[in-house]
Amino acid sequence: MIVLKISNASEVVASKVGRFLERLTPDSIDNAAVEDQVIQKLVENLAAEGLKGEIAAINGLDLSGDDLSVHKGLKVRKHSNF
């Protein structure tokens, strides 16, 4: 299993839509939008390589160095098969 944590979603959104609009959106929306785009590209690329599997965006997990924390309200936000 692979865990991917995106730590600069707000900066990516700001570079795409501008600082002003980025300030108007909550960080959770920025994170979800960037995660959705990453998932879409991963699914396309992994499927093109012939790999099969599943990918999910999960709320309630936190990765910090070697520690993976599970928080109350763990929920699968988005799920895709490839």
Side-chain angles (χ1 to χ4, degrees):
M1 182 173 289
I2 297 170
V3 176
L4 172 68
K5 178 181 178 180
I6 299 170
S7 58
N8 67 335
S10 292
E11 290 84 3
V12 170
V13 170
S15 73
K16 302 291 183 190
V17 299
R19 259 309 152 200
F20 176 73
L21 290 176
E22 185 273 329
R23 287 187 197 124
L24 297 176
T25 61
D27 285 343
S28 61
I29 292 175
D30 293 348
N31 288 339
V34 171
E35 287 173 353
D36 290 348
Q37 287 298 310
V38 169
I39 287 172
Q40 179 182 346
K41 292 296 183 184
L42 282 171
V43 166
E44 291 170 6
N45 290 324
L46 293 171
E49 292 296 326
L51 292 170
K52 293 182 180 182
E54 300 176 60
I55 189 167
I58 300 179
N59 292 335
L61 282 180
D62 188 36
L63 178 65
S64 181
D66 291 339
D67 296 322
L68 181 64
S69 302
V70 178
H71 301 281
K72 188 175 182 177
L74 182 69
K75 181 181 177 189
V76 175
R77 185 183 63 74
K78 181 177 180 133
H79 177 268
S80 295
N81 290 309
F82 56 91

